[in-house]
Amino acid sequence: MTAISQDPSIMMEVKDLAKTFTLHAQGGTEIRALRGIDLEVRKGECLVLAGPSGAGKSTLLRCLYGNYLPQAGSILIRHEGEPTEMIGAEPRSILAMRRRTLGFVSQFLRAIPRVPTLELVMEPLLSQTVPKDEAESRSVSILRHLNVPEHLWGLAPATFSGGEQQRVNIARAMIFEYPIMLLDEPTASLDQENREAVLDLIASARDRGAAMIGIFHDQGAREAVATGVFTLSSRKEAA
Amino acid sequence: MTEIPLLEVESLTRRYGRRIGCQDVAFTLWPGEVLGIVGESGSGKTTLLNCLSGQLPPSEGRVSYLTRDRGAVDIWEISEAQRRLLLRTDWGLVHQTPSEGLRMGVSAGANVGERLMAVGARNYGEIRTEALHWLDALEVDRGRVDEFPDAFSGGMRQRLQIARNLVTRPRLVFMDEPTGGLDVSVQARLLDLIRRLVSELSLSCVIVTHDLGVVRLLAHRLLVMRQGEVVEAGLTDQVLDDPQHPYTQMLVSSILPV
């Protein structure tokens, strides 16, 4: 029996997860990035991934989002109330989980040419059939909270500074109240004021009951949001 | 989420004499889903697209399409006339070269309106209104409705071709390198427009391209083809960020970084 099916407060349960990269262009070299990962996250928890550089923190986060393909194990998430297996799920099921359940805040914005900032931020809400005026007012308030200057809202972020792009990205990723959120260094390279604004958003998402797993390099950020730590040991030797 | 697939393809094979065009291809396309088919030239992706879209009979296999009125039909079992009707109404087909999908001897407005006339529209005013609506949707200046396709730039001509296809409100659109041969800046704007229309109209699409940037932006999932066979399939960002097959790894690593 899985714990997630017994305990409704568990939002994600990972069992015996393994990820190996096979580099075919380099004679089939295998890199064992992750082995035997077991973890669970509950509502209102923020689990911080710790471990040296190269331990597989980003790889784990990407596996949990369905972006990397694990070789073995199980990732059960509570999707629309039901424990749902991500590994081996059809693309359209993973996309449905990402639309309604699983948010991802990454460091880098994959710029979509020509889409204005305000529309980019509204998009996750519109795809959930939130009415347009509500989507717009929520987008305006999150952009204000993140200090994105109003004269930029009508422009595509491709030409913005790195910090501005990062805040637009965070606004887009956090506008919808995903039940589970994955955070890949959301505060890296932000100045003090904006770092506080982002940590504030994360803390309030956690307090409303979101289950979170994140990578935070700075100690202050960890202290502000973490409820627990999951430590990955350094990378295993290539087989 | 609708639970009935729009298109079901089983063990589809097309041979040219002894040479293989595509071999043993199978997939299911769901309503609203955008499928990208990638691979180098000669990998069989256009052959596959032609077999799916009623252009080229397969040597073996089935292509089952969910019609609006008769349930699922094998598109290679129905009559030629029925197949052509599907292509004029429920399906769109966007060619890489706009002149293949446009009639160069009639105006932009007539090009867009023609598919409506083919399905029985006769009121000139209504046809013109619809044509103007689709020129607007594709961001083509409506003041140019009476000009001939020759007078338009490559990018604008491609928009005309797309408008011509969308005017009958198809459910399934096939696209063959829709942005191939266009300037990079024109490509980016056209891609963005296609992306928005596909989502607003909940279109299902099959897009063939060798350009991984195009599928990154448009496709929900991918088939990677090599020498006529599908070597890898999956969620678009997973296939591009964590490719499993040696050929896909080679394709992804061949992109020049910008």
Short mmCIF file of all heavy atoms in Angstrom, two decimals, chain A residues 147-213:
data_model
loop_
_atom_site.label_atom_id
_atom_site.label_comp_id
_atom_site.label_asym_id
_atom_site.label_seq_id
_atom_site.Cartn_x
_atom_site.Cartn_y
_atom_site.Cartn_z
N ASN A 147 7.30 44.06 -8.44
CA ASN A 147 7.98 45.28 -8.89
C ASN A 147 8.35 45.25 -10.37
O ASN A 147 9.41 45.74 -10.75
CB ASN A 147 9.24 45.54 -8.06
CG ASN A 147 8.94 45.60 -6.59
OD1 ASN A 147 8.05 46.32 -6.17
ND2 ASN A 147 9.66 44.80 -5.80
N VAL A 148 7.50 44.63 -11.20
CA VAL A 148 7.74 44.71 -12.64
C VAL A 148 7.10 46.03 -13.09
O VAL A 148 5.90 46.21 -12.94
CB VAL A 148 7.12 43.52 -13.40
CG1 VAL A 148 7.34 43.67 -14.90
CG2 VAL A 148 7.70 42.20 -12.90
N PRO A 149 7.90 46.98 -13.62
CA PRO A 149 7.37 48.31 -13.94
C PRO A 149 6.21 48.24 -14.93
O PRO A 149 6.25 47.49 -15.89
CB PRO A 149 8.58 49.02 -14.58
CG PRO A 149 9.77 48.22 -14.21
CD PRO A 149 9.32 46.83 -13.95
N GLU A 150 5.20 49.06 -14.66
CA GLU A 150 3.96 49.00 -15.42
C GLU A 150 4.17 49.26 -16.91
O GLU A 150 3.47 48.68 -17.74
CB GLU A 150 2.95 50.00 -14.84
CG GLU A 150 1.55 49.78 -15.35
CD GLU A 150 0.48 50.44 -14.48
OE1 GLU A 150 0.80 50.85 -13.34
OE2 GLU A 150 -0.66 50.53 -14.96
N HIS A 151 5.17 50.10 -17.25
CA HIS A 151 5.35 50.41 -18.68
C HIS A 151 5.88 49.19 -19.45
O HIS A 151 5.95 49.21 -20.67
CB HIS A 151 6.26 51.63 -18.86
CG HIS A 151 7.68 51.40 -18.43
ND1 HIS A 151 8.13 51.66 -17.15
CD2 HIS A 151 8.75 50.92 -19.10
CE1 HIS A 151 9.40 51.35 -17.05
NE2 HIS A 151 9.81 50.90 -18.22
N LEU A 152 6.26 48.11 -18.76
CA LEU A 152 6.75 46.92 -19.45
C LEU A 152 5.64 45.90 -19.73
O LEU A 152 5.83 44.96 -20.50
CB LEU A 152 7.84 46.23 -18.61
CG LEU A 152 9.13 47.00 -18.37
CD1 LEU A 152 10.09 46.19 -17.51
CD2 LEU A 152 9.80 47.36 -19.71
N TRP A 153 4.47 46.06 -19.10
CA TRP A 153 3.45 45.02 -19.16
C TRP A 153 2.96 44.73 -20.58
O TRP A 153 2.56 43.61 -20.88
CB TRP A 153 2.26 45.38 -18.27
CG TRP A 153 2.63 45.48 -16.82
CD1 TRP A 153 3.85 45.21 -16.27
CD2 TRP A 153 1.79 45.90 -15.75
NE1 TRP A 153 3.82 45.43 -14.91
CE2 TRP A 153 2.57 45.86 -14.57
CE3 TRP A 153 0.46 46.32 -15.67
CZ2 TRP A 153 2.04 46.21 -13.32
CZ3 TRP A 153 -0.06 46.66 -14.43
CH2 TRP A 153 0.73 46.60 -13.26
N GLY A 154 2.99 45.75 -21.42
CA GLY A 154 2.50 45.56 -22.79
C GLY A 154 3.58 45.04 -23.74
O GLY A 154 3.31 44.83 -24.91
N LEU A 155 4.80 44.84 -23.22
CA LEU A 155 5.92 44.42 -24.09
C LEU A 155 6.28 42.96 -23.84
O LEU A 155 6.09 42.43 -22.74
CB LEU A 155 7.15 45.28 -23.80
CG LEU A 155 6.96 46.80 -23.91
CD1 LEU A 155 8.23 47.52 -23.47
CD2 LEU A 155 6.59 47.17 -25.34
N ALA A 156 6.85 42.32 -24.87
CA ALA A 156 7.34 40.95 -24.71
C ALA A 156 8.63 40.98 -23.90
O ALA A 156 9.45 41.87 -24.07
CB ALA A 156 7.57 40.33 -26.08
N PRO A 157 8.84 40.01 -22.99
CA PRO A 157 9.99 40.08 -22.09
C PRO A 157 11.35 39.82 -22.74
O PRO A 157 12.37 39.97 -22.06
CB PRO A 157 9.69 39.00 -21.04
CG PRO A 157 8.49 38.28 -21.46
CD PRO A 157 7.94 38.90 -22.69
N ALA A 158 11.38 39.47 -24.03
CA ALA A 158 12.65 39.12 -24.66
C ALA A 158 13.73 40.19 -24.47
O ALA A 158 14.91 39.88 -24.37
CB ALA A 158 12.44 38.83 -26.14
N THR A 159 13.31 41.46 -24.41
CA THR A 159 14.30 42.54 -24.32
C THR A 159 14.53 43.03 -22.89
O THR A 159 15.28 43.97 -22.67
CB THR A 159 13.83 43.76 -25.15
OG1 THR A 159 12.54 44.12 -24.68
CG2 THR A 159 13.75 43.44 -26.63
N PHE A 160 13.89 42.43 -21.91
CA PHE A 160 14.02 42.90 -20.52
C PHE A 160 15.37 42.51 -19.94
O PHE A 160 16.05 41.62 -20.43
CB PHE A 160 12.92 42.30 -19.62
CG PHE A 160 11.52 42.70 -19.98
CD1 PHE A 160 11.25 43.53 -21.06
CD2 PHE A 160 10.46 42.23 -19.23
CE1 PHE A 160 9.95 43.89 -21.39
CE2 PHE A 160 9.16 42.57 -19.55
CZ PHE A 160 8.90 43.39 -20.63
N SER A 161 15.71 43.13 -18.82
CA SER A 161 16.91 42.72 -18.10
C SER A 161 16.69 41.33 -17.51
O SER A 161 15.56 40.87 -17.38
CB SER A 161 17.19 43.71 -16.97
OG SER A 161 16.26 43.49 -15.91
N GLY A 162 17.80 40.68 -17.13
CA GLY A 162 17.71 39.33 -16.58
C GLY A 162 16.78 39.24 -15.37
O GLY A 162 15.95 38.36 -15.28
N GLY A 163 16.92 40.22 -14.47
CA GLY A 163 16.11 40.22 -13.26
C GLY A 163 14.63 40.42 -13.56
O GLY A 163 13.77 39.80 -12.94
N GLU A 164 14.34 41.29 -14.54
CA GLU A 164 12.94 41.53 -14.91
C GLU A 164 12.33 40.28 -15.53
O GLU A 164 11.21 39.89 -15.21
CB GLU A 164 12.85 42.71 -15.90
CG GLU A 164 13.01 44.07 -15.24
CD GLU A 164 13.39 45.19 -16.21
OE1 GLU A 164 13.62 44.89 -17.41
OE2 GLU A 164 13.47 46.34 -15.78
N GLN A 165 13.09 39.62 -16.42
CA GLN A 165 12.60 38.38 -17.04
C GLN A 165 12.31 37.33 -15.98
O GLN A 165 11.30 36.63 -16.02
CB GLN A 165 13.64 37.82 -18.00
CG GLN A 165 13.83 38.66 -19.25
CD GLN A 165 14.53 37.90 -20.36
OE1 GLN A 165 14.70 36.69 -20.31
NE2 GLN A 165 14.93 38.62 -21.39
N GLN A 166 13.23 37.25 -15.01
CA GLN A 166 13.07 36.25 -13.96
C GLN A 166 11.80 36.51 -13.14
O GLN A 166 11.07 35.57 -12.81
CB GLN A 166 14.30 36.34 -13.06
CG GLN A 166 14.49 35.13 -12.20
CD GLN A 166 15.79 35.25 -11.40
OE1 GLN A 166 16.58 36.17 -11.61
NE2 GLN A 166 15.99 34.33 -10.49
N ARG A 167 11.50 37.78 -12.88
CA ARG A 167 10.30 38.10 -12.11
C ARG A 167 9.03 37.85 -12.92
O ARG A 167 8.02 37.42 -12.36
CB ARG A 167 10.37 39.54 -11.60
CG ARG A 167 11.04 39.62 -10.22
CD ARG A 167 12.04 40.72 -10.11
NE ARG A 167 11.50 42.02 -10.44
CZ ARG A 167 12.23 43.02 -10.93
NH1 ARG A 167 13.52 42.86 -11.13
NH2 ARG A 167 11.67 44.17 -11.22
N VAL A 168 9.08 38.12 -14.23
CA VAL A 168 7.92 37.80 -15.08
C VAL A 168 7.67 36.29 -15.05
O VAL A 168 6.54 35.81 -14.92
CB VAL A 168 8.15 38.27 -16.54
CG1 VAL A 168 7.03 37.76 -17.45
CG2 VAL A 168 8.25 39.78 -16.62
N ASN A 169 8.78 35.56 -15.12
CA ASN A 169 8.69 34.11 -15.09
C ASN A 169 8.08 33.61 -13.79
O ASN A 169 7.25 32.70 -13.77
CB ASN A 169 10.11 33.55 -15.28
CG ASN A 169 10.10 32.13 -15.73
OD1 ASN A 169 9.10 31.67 -16.28
ND2 ASN A 169 11.19 31.43 -15.52
N ILE A 170 8.48 34.22 -12.69
CA ILE A 170 7.95 33.82 -11.38
C ILE A 170 6.46 34.18 -11.29
O ILE A 170 5.65 33.40 -10.80
CB ILE A 170 8.77 34.48 -10.26
CG1 ILE A 170 10.14 33.77 -10.20
CG2 ILE A 170 8.06 34.39 -8.92
CD1 ILE A 170 11.17 34.49 -9.37
N ALA A 171 6.11 35.35 -11.83
CA ALA A 171 4.70 35.75 -11.82
C ALA A 171 3.86 34.73 -12.58
O ALA A 171 2.81 34.28 -12.13
CB ALA A 171 4.55 37.14 -12.45
N ARG A 172 4.35 34.32 -13.76
CA ARG A 172 3.62 33.37 -14.59
C ARG A 172 3.53 32.01 -13.89
O ARG A 172 2.50 31.34 -13.96
CB ARG A 172 4.35 33.24 -15.94
CG ARG A 172 3.75 32.23 -16.90
CD ARG A 172 4.52 32.30 -18.22
NE ARG A 172 4.40 31.09 -19.01
CZ ARG A 172 3.48 30.88 -19.94
NH1 ARG A 172 2.58 31.81 -20.19
NH2 ARG A 172 3.44 29.76 -20.62
N ALA A 173 4.60 31.62 -13.21
CA ALA A 173 4.62 30.31 -12.58
C ALA A 173 3.81 30.27 -11.30
O ALA A 173 3.35 29.21 -10.88
CB ALA A 173 6.06 29.89 -12.30
N MET A 174 3.64 31.44 -10.65
CA MET A 174 2.97 31.42 -9.35
C MET A 174 1.57 32.02 -9.37
O MET A 174 0.90 32.06 -8.34
CB MET A 174 3.83 32.13 -8.30
CG MET A 174 5.18 31.44 -8.16
SD MET A 174 6.04 31.78 -6.62
CE MET A 174 5.02 30.92 -5.42
N ILE A 175 1.11 32.45 -10.54
CA ILE A 175 -0.20 33.11 -10.62
C ILE A 175 -1.32 32.14 -10.28
O ILE A 175 -2.31 32.49 -9.63
CB ILE A 175 -0.40 33.74 -12.03
CG1 ILE A 175 -1.72 34.50 -12.13
CG2 ILE A 175 -0.38 32.70 -13.12
CD1 ILE A 175 -1.62 35.91 -11.69
N PHE A 176 -1.16 30.89 -10.68
CA PHE A 176 -2.17 29.88 -10.36
C PHE A 176 -1.76 29.17 -9.07
O PHE A 176 -0.59 28.91 -8.85
CB PHE A 176 -2.31 28.87 -11.51
CG PHE A 176 -3.30 27.78 -11.21
CD1 PHE A 176 -4.65 28.06 -11.10
CD2 PHE A 176 -2.87 26.47 -11.02
CE1 PHE A 176 -5.57 27.06 -10.81
CE2 PHE A 176 -3.78 25.46 -10.73
CZ PHE A 176 -5.13 25.76 -10.63
N GLU A 177 -2.75 28.88 -8.24
CA GLU A 177 -2.44 28.25 -6.94
C GLU A 177 -2.30 26.75 -7.11
O GLU A 177 -3.19 25.97 -6.77
CB GLU A 177 -3.51 28.63 -5.93
CG GLU A 177 -3.57 30.13 -5.72
CD GLU A 177 -4.65 30.56 -4.75
OE1 GLU A 177 -5.62 29.81 -4.55
OE2 GLU A 177 -4.52 31.67 -4.21
N TYR A 178 -1.16 26.35 -7.70
CA TYR A 178 -0.93 24.92 -7.90
C TYR A 178 -0.86 24.21 -6.55
O TYR A 178 -0.19 24.71 -5.63
CB TYR A 178 0.40 24.69 -8.64
CG TYR A 178 0.44 25.23 -10.04
CD1 TYR A 178 1.05 26.44 -10.31
CD2 TYR A 178 -0.13 24.51 -11.09
CE1 TYR A 178 1.10 26.94 -11.60
CE2 TYR A 178 -0.09 25.01 -12.39
CZ TYR A 178 0.52 26.23 -12.63
OH TYR A 178 0.56 26.73 -13.90
N PRO A 179 -1.46 23.03 -6.45
CA PRO A 179 -1.35 22.27 -5.19
C PRO A 179 0.07 21.79 -4.91
O PRO A 179 0.44 21.61 -3.76
CB PRO A 179 -2.29 21.08 -5.41
CG PRO A 179 -3.23 21.50 -6.50
CD PRO A 179 -2.45 22.44 -7.38
N ILE A 180 0.87 21.58 -5.97
CA ILE A 180 2.26 21.16 -5.78
C ILE A 180 3.15 22.09 -6.59
O ILE A 180 2.86 22.37 -7.75
CB ILE A 180 2.48 19.71 -6.28
CG1 ILE A 180 1.50 18.73 -5.62
CG2 ILE A 180 3.93 19.26 -6.02
CD1 ILE A 180 1.53 17.33 -6.20
N MET A 181 4.22 22.59 -5.98
CA MET A 181 5.11 23.49 -6.72
C MET A 181 6.56 23.05 -6.59
O MET A 181 7.02 22.69 -5.51
CB MET A 181 4.96 24.91 -6.18
CG MET A 181 3.53 25.39 -6.26
SD MET A 181 3.39 27.18 -6.16
CE MET A 181 4.10 27.63 -7.71
N LEU A 182 7.26 23.08 -7.72
CA LEU A 182 8.68 22.75 -7.77
C LEU A 182 9.43 24.05 -8.04
O LEU A 182 9.08 24.79 -8.96
CB LEU A 182 8.93 21.73 -8.90
CG LEU A 182 8.05 20.48 -8.84
CD1 LEU A 182 8.20 19.64 -10.10
CD2 LEU A 182 8.39 19.63 -7.62
N LEU A 183 10.44 24.33 -7.23
CA LEU A 183 11.13 25.63 -7.32
C LEU A 183 12.61 25.40 -7.58
O LEU A 183 13.30 24.79 -6.76
CB LEU A 183 10.95 26.40 -6.00
CG LEU A 183 9.53 26.47 -5.43
CD1 LEU A 183 9.56 26.83 -3.95
CD2 LEU A 183 8.70 27.49 -6.20
N ASP A 184 13.09 25.90 -8.71
CA ASP A 184 14.51 25.73 -9.03
C ASP A 184 15.22 27.07 -8.88
O ASP A 184 15.22 27.89 -9.79
CB ASP A 184 14.65 25.20 -10.46
CG ASP A 184 16.08 24.77 -10.77
OD1 ASP A 184 16.96 24.93 -9.91
OD2 ASP A 184 16.31 24.28 -11.90
N GLU A 185 15.78 27.32 -7.73
CA GLU A 185 16.48 28.56 -7.40
C GLU A 185 15.72 29.81 -7.81
O GLU A 185 16.24 30.64 -8.57
CB GLU A 185 17.85 28.58 -8.07
CG GLU A 185 18.77 27.51 -7.53
CD GLU A 185 20.20 27.78 -7.94
OE1 GLU A 185 20.65 28.90 -7.69
OE2 GLU A 185 20.83 26.89 -8.51
N PRO A 186 14.50 29.97 -7.31
CA PRO A 186 13.69 31.11 -7.77
C PRO A 186 14.26 32.46 -7.36
O PRO A 186 13.93 33.46 -7.98
CB PRO A 186 12.33 30.86 -7.11
CG PRO A 186 12.62 30.00 -5.94
CD PRO A 186 13.79 29.14 -6.34
N THR A 187 15.10 32.51 -6.32
CA THR A 187 15.59 33.82 -5.86
C THR A 187 17.01 34.12 -6.30
O THR A 187 17.54 35.18 -5.98
CB THR A 187 15.54 33.90 -4.32
OG1 THR A 187 16.26 32.79 -3.79
CG2 THR A 187 14.12 33.85 -3.82
N ALA A 188 17.63 33.18 -7.06
CA ALA A 188 19.02 33.41 -7.46
C ALA A 188 19.11 34.71 -8.26
O ALA A 188 18.25 35.01 -9.07
CB ALA A 188 19.51 32.24 -8.31
N SER A 189 20.13 35.47 -8.00
CA SER A 189 20.48 36.69 -8.73
C SER A 189 19.45 37.83 -8.63
O SER A 189 19.47 38.76 -9.40
CB SER A 189 20.79 36.40 -10.21
OG SER A 189 19.61 36.18 -10.93
N LEU A 190 18.53 37.74 -7.67
CA LEU A 190 17.62 38.88 -7.46
C LEU A 190 18.21 39.79 -6.38
O LEU A 190 18.91 39.33 -5.49
CB LEU A 190 16.25 38.39 -6.98
CG LEU A 190 15.39 37.64 -8.00
CD1 LEU A 190 14.10 37.18 -7.34
CD2 LEU A 190 15.08 38.50 -9.22
N ASP A 191 17.87 41.10 -6.46
CA ASP A 191 18.34 41.98 -5.40
C ASP A 191 17.48 41.78 -4.13
O ASP A 191 16.47 41.08 -4.16
CB ASP A 191 18.33 43.45 -5.85
CG ASP A 191 16.94 43.91 -6.21
OD1 ASP A 191 15.94 43.37 -5.67
OD2 ASP A 191 16.84 44.81 -7.06
N GLN A 192 17.91 42.38 -3.04
CA GLN A 192 17.31 42.12 -1.74
C GLN A 192 15.79 42.34 -1.74
O GLN A 192 15.03 41.49 -1.28
CB GLN A 192 17.98 43.05 -0.70
CG GLN A 192 17.51 42.83 0.72
CD GLN A 192 17.87 41.44 1.24
OE1 GLN A 192 18.79 40.81 0.73
NE2 GLN A 192 17.12 40.96 2.22
N GLU A 193 15.35 43.47 -2.30
CA GLU A 193 13.93 43.82 -2.26
C GLU A 193 13.10 42.78 -3.03
O GLU A 193 12.05 42.32 -2.56
CB GLU A 193 13.73 45.22 -2.86
CG GLU A 193 12.31 45.72 -2.74
CD GLU A 193 12.05 46.95 -3.61
OE1 GLU A 193 12.99 47.41 -4.29
OE2 GLU A 193 10.90 47.41 -3.61
N ASN A 194 13.58 42.39 -4.22
CA ASN A 194 12.82 41.45 -5.03
C ASN A 194 12.88 40.03 -4.46
O ASN A 194 11.94 39.26 -4.60
CB ASN A 194 13.31 41.49 -6.48
CG ASN A 194 12.87 42.77 -7.17
OD1 ASN A 194 11.69 43.12 -7.11
ND2 ASN A 194 13.81 43.47 -7.79
N ARG A 195 14.03 39.74 -3.83
CA ARG A 195 14.16 38.45 -3.18
C ARG A 195 13.09 38.31 -2.07
O ARG A 195 12.41 37.30 -1.96
CB ARG A 195 15.56 38.33 -2.56
CG ARG A 195 16.09 36.94 -2.47
CD ARG A 195 17.53 36.99 -1.98
NE ARG A 195 17.56 37.62 -0.66
CZ ARG A 195 17.63 36.95 0.47
NH1 ARG A 195 17.72 35.65 0.48
NH2 ARG A 195 17.63 37.59 1.61
N GLU A 196 12.93 39.38 -1.30
CA GLU A 196 11.91 39.37 -0.24
C GLU A 196 10.52 39.18 -0.84
O GLU A 196 9.70 38.44 -0.30
CB GLU A 196 11.94 40.71 0.53
CG GLU A 196 13.25 41.00 1.26
CD GLU A 196 13.51 40.03 2.39
OE1 GLU A 196 12.52 39.56 3.00
OE2 GLU A 196 14.69 39.73 2.66
N ALA A 197 10.25 39.87 -1.96
CA ALA A 197 8.92 39.78 -2.58
C ALA A 197 8.63 38.35 -3.04
O ALA A 197 7.51 37.84 -2.87
CB ALA A 197 8.84 40.75 -3.76
N VAL A 198 9.65 37.69 -3.60
CA VAL A 198 9.46 36.32 -4.09
C VAL A 198 9.29 35.36 -2.90
O VAL A 198 8.40 34.51 -2.89
CB VAL A 198 10.65 35.89 -4.98
CG1 VAL A 198 10.56 34.41 -5.31
CG2 VAL A 198 10.66 36.71 -6.27
N LEU A 199 10.13 35.53 -1.87
CA LEU A 199 10.03 34.65 -0.70
C LEU A 199 8.67 34.79 -0.02
O LEU A 199 8.09 33.82 0.47
CB LEU A 199 11.15 34.98 0.30
CG LEU A 199 12.55 34.55 -0.18
CD1 LEU A 199 13.61 35.02 0.80
CD2 LEU A 199 12.62 33.04 -0.38
N ASP A 200 8.16 36.01 -0.06
CA ASP A 200 6.85 36.30 0.49
C ASP A 200 5.76 35.51 -0.25
O ASP A 200 4.86 34.91 0.36
CB ASP A 200 6.66 37.81 0.30
CG ASP A 200 5.51 38.34 1.08
OD1 ASP A 200 5.37 37.91 2.23
OD2 ASP A 200 4.75 39.15 0.52
N LEU A 201 5.86 35.48 -1.60
CA LEU A 201 4.90 34.71 -2.41
C LEU A 201 4.99 33.22 -2.09
O LEU A 201 3.98 32.52 -1.98
CB LEU A 201 5.19 34.88 -3.91
CG LEU A 201 4.71 36.13 -4.62
CD1 LEU A 201 5.12 36.06 -6.09
CD2 LEU A 201 3.19 36.25 -4.52
N ILE A 202 6.24 32.75 -1.95
CA ILE A 202 6.44 31.32 -1.68
C ILE A 202 5.88 30.95 -0.31
O ILE A 202 5.16 29.96 -0.15
CB ILE A 202 7.95 30.96 -1.77
CG1 ILE A 202 8.43 31.14 -3.22
CG2 ILE A 202 8.20 29.53 -1.31
CD1 ILE A 202 9.94 31.03 -3.37
N ALA A 203 6.18 31.80 0.67
CA ALA A 203 5.69 31.52 2.03
C ALA A 203 4.16 31.53 2.07
O ALA A 203 3.55 30.70 2.73
CB ALA A 203 6.28 32.52 3.01
N SER A 204 3.54 32.46 1.32
CA SER A 204 2.08 32.48 1.42
C SER A 204 1.46 31.31 0.65
O SER A 204 0.42 30.78 1.05
CB SER A 204 1.49 33.84 1.03
OG SER A 204 1.82 34.17 -0.26
N ALA A 205 2.12 30.86 -0.44
CA ALA A 205 1.63 29.65 -1.13
C ALA A 205 1.73 28.44 -0.19
O ALA A 205 0.81 27.63 -0.10
CB ALA A 205 2.45 29.41 -2.40
N ARG A 206 2.85 28.37 0.52
CA ARG A 206 3.03 27.26 1.47
C ARG A 206 1.95 27.32 2.56
O ARG A 206 1.33 26.31 2.90
CB ARG A 206 4.42 27.38 2.10
CG ARG A 206 4.79 26.29 3.10
CD ARG A 206 5.96 26.74 3.96
NE ARG A 206 5.60 27.94 4.73
CZ ARG A 206 6.48 28.80 5.22
NH1 ARG A 206 7.77 28.63 5.03
NH2 ARG A 206 6.07 29.85 5.91
N ASP A 207 1.69 28.54 3.06
CA ASP A 207 0.73 28.66 4.16
C ASP A 207 -0.70 28.39 3.73
O ASP A 207 -1.53 28.01 4.54
CB ASP A 207 0.86 30.05 4.80
CG ASP A 207 2.22 30.21 5.49
OD1 ASP A 207 2.88 29.17 5.73
OD2 ASP A 207 2.62 31.37 5.77
N ARG A 208 -1.01 28.59 2.43
CA ARG A 208 -2.36 28.23 2.00
C ARG A 208 -2.46 26.73 1.72
O ARG A 208 -3.51 26.21 1.37
CB ARG A 208 -2.78 29.03 0.76
CG ARG A 208 -2.01 28.66 -0.48
CD ARG A 208 -2.70 28.98 -1.80
NE ARG A 208 -1.71 29.01 -2.88
CZ ARG A 208 -1.24 27.94 -3.48
NH1 ARG A 208 -1.66 26.72 -3.15
NH2 ARG A 208 -0.33 28.05 -4.43
N GLY A 209 -1.33 25.99 1.83
CA GLY A 209 -1.41 24.54 1.75
C GLY A 209 -0.70 23.91 0.57
O GLY A 209 -0.80 22.70 0.35
N ALA A 210 0.03 24.71 -0.22
CA ALA A 210 0.77 24.11 -1.33
C ALA A 210 1.88 23.21 -0.78
O ALA A 210 2.48 23.53 0.24
CB ALA A 210 1.37 25.19 -2.22
N ALA A 211 2.13 22.10 -1.46
CA ALA A 211 3.26 21.24 -1.13
C ALA A 211 4.40 21.66 -2.05
O ALA A 211 4.21 21.76 -3.26
CB ALA A 211 2.90 19.78 -1.36
N MET A 212 5.58 21.92 -1.49
CA MET A 212 6.67 22.47 -2.30
C MET A 212 7.96 21.70 -2.14
O MET A 212 8.27 21.21 -1.05
CB MET A 212 6.91 23.92 -1.91
CG MET A 212 5.67 24.78 -2.01
SD MET A 212 6.04 26.47 -1.49
CE MET A 212 5.30 27.34 -2.84
N ILE A 213 8.70 21.61 -3.26
CA ILE A 213 10.05 21.06 -3.22
C ILE A 213 10.93 22.08 -3.94
O ILE A 213 10.59 22.49 -5.05
CB ILE A 213 10.14 19.70 -3.94
CG1 ILE A 213 9.19 18.69 -3.28
CG2 ILE A 213 11.57 19.16 -3.92
CD1 ILE A 213 9.21 17.33 -3.90
#
